[in-house]
Amino acid sequence: MEIHDLGDGEPEVAVVGAIHGDEPCGARAVERLLDADLDPERPVRLIVANEAALDAGERYLDADLNRAFPGNRDADAHEVRLAAELVDALAGCTTLAIHSTQSYAEPFAVIDSMDEVTRAVAPHLPVDAVIQTDAFTEGRLIEHPHTLEVEAGLQGSDAAADNAYWLARAFLAATGAISAPGADDVVDAGGREDVSVFRLRERIPKPDAEAYEVFARNFERVESGERFAAADGEPLLADDPFYPVLLSPNGYRDQFGYVADRVGTLE
C-alpha cells in the first residue's frame, strides 16, 4: 500500500485508488493529484491500495479487497490483511474510493446510505446518478462511516482516469480540503440537487450460457415484459418495471447487474 500525506497534521480527508488492481484510474488520479502540487487547507491522505494486484494487472491476488473489510491482519489472504491495514490508514477520514466499471462510461456515486456526508458532498461531484447499496454492502469499504465510492467510467480507459482526477478534485473541494474549482475548470463548484438517486433492490442472475447480451441501458426504465438481456439467444423479460444498474454481459461472473428503484433526487 502506497500512502502520501499532504498538509500538516493528522489526515482528515482521504482519496483511495486501486482497491481493484484491474482498475488503474484511481492510481492515475492519485499520481496526478501529487503532480498538481496541492496546498491543502485540511490534511489529506492519498492511497494506492492494492499495489501488488495493480502491478499484476489483476482484480486481486487472493480475495476481492472490496469484499474483505474490515479485514484481519493475521489472515493468510493478501487482501484480507490489506483490508485491515487500509481501515487503520483511513481512521478518522472522510473518504472517497475510486473504481471503474465495464458497464457504464459516465461517472456515478455509490453510497451505503443517504447520511449527512453524502448530502454534503454528493451534490458537488460531477456524477450522473447516486446509487444507494445498503442491502449489498457486506465486506465493502462503503460500510464504514463517512465513505463514498465513485465509478469513474469504463475500466482501463483514459476517460475514466481523467474522470477519476476531476472527481477527486471535486471531492477535496466539497470537503474543504482545497479551494473550490474556478469557472474555467471541469468541475462545477456549485451544488446540484437534480441528480437522480437509485436504490438497489435485487441482483439479476445469469443463467448458464456460452454467450450473453444486454439490450437495456443503465439508469433507463425497463417496462414489464420488455426484453432486457439474452443468454445464448434466449431473451430475458422483465417481470416488473425496474431501472438497471451496472448491467453488463461481462461485468460479473454470475449476474448481469442489479434491479433498482428510482427513489428521488439529491434535494
Side-chain angles (χ1 to χ4, degrees):
M1 184 166 59
E2 177 185 315
I3 299 176
H4 302 272
D5 288 346
L6 309 180
D8 298 325
E10 190 67 22
E12 300 171 352
V13 179
V15 175
V16 182
I19 284 178
H20 292 134
D22 59 353
E23 298 175 9
C25 62
R28 291 175 63 183
V30 167
E31 292 172 5
R32 194 168 165 187
L33 289 169
L34 292 170
D35 289 342
D37 196 23
L38 301 175
D39 184 18
E41 298 170 22
R42 299 176 67 190
V44 173
R45 176 161 284 176
L46 305 177
I47 298 177
V48 177
N50 199 343
E51 289 182 277
L54 182 65
D55 290 343
E58 300 289 343
R59 185 174 178 84
Y60 54 82
L61 300 185
D62 298 322
D64 189 333
L65 177 56
N66 210 29
R67 302 296 184 272
F69 293 101
N72 182 342
R73 285 182 176 271
D74 297 322
D76 292 332
H78 163 69
E79 280 82 6
V80 179
R81 296 193 304 273
L82 182 59
E85 295 172 15
L86 186 54
V87 167
D88 287 346
L90 295 173
C93 289
T94 300
T95 300
L96 181 74
I98 301 174
H99 293 268
S100 54
T101 175
Q102 296 185 35
S103 63
Y104 194 67
E106 300 303 321
F108 60 92
V110 182
I111 63 170
D112 181 13
S113 60
M114 190 62 68
D115 61 13
E116 67 279 4
V117 172
T118 300
R119 292 188 183 280
V121 173
H124 299 275
L125 300 181
V127 295
D128 278 359
V130 173
I131 312 303
Q132 185 174 340
T133 64
D134 51 331
F136 301 95
T137 58
E138 184 175 358
R140 292 174 63 166
L141 184 57
I142 55 172
E143 278 193 311
H144 295 270
H146 311 311
T147 300
L148 295 86
E149 288 183 0
V150 287
E151 298 283 354
L154 293 176
Q155 187 174 317
S157 68
D158 289 338
D162 194 50
N163 290 339
Y165 172 73
W166 287 108
L167 285 159
R169 287 290 300 250
F171 170 78
L172 293 175
T175 53
I178 62 174
S179 1
D184 294 332
D185 283 322
V186 173
V187 181
D188 181 359
R192 300 166 57 210
E193 296 182 341
D194 59 344
V195 176
S196 293
V197 178
F198 299 84
R199 186 178 186 187
L200 301 188
R201 178 165 23 113
E202 59 188 72
R203 295 180 175 90
I204 304 173
K206 276 181 176 177
D208 289 334
E210 295 293 325
Y212 300 99
E213 300 171 271
V214 297
F215 309 112
R217 294 179 180 273
N218 282 288
F219 307 118
E220 295 186 11
R221 182 181 166 97
V222 174
E223 301 297 342
S224 296
E226 185 177 342
R227 181 186 67 160
F228 65 87
D232 285 344
E234 290 294 320
L236 301 178
L237 307 180
D239 293 329
D240 299 296
F242 73 96
Y243 288 88
V245 171
L246 292 170
L247 189 70
S248 167
N250 305 313
Y252 298 98
R253 180 181 56 81
D254 56 357
Q255 66 184 78
F256 279 106
Y258 292 90
V259 169
D261 300 312
R262 186 179 181 277
V263 295
T265 65
L266 287 177
E267 292 181 304

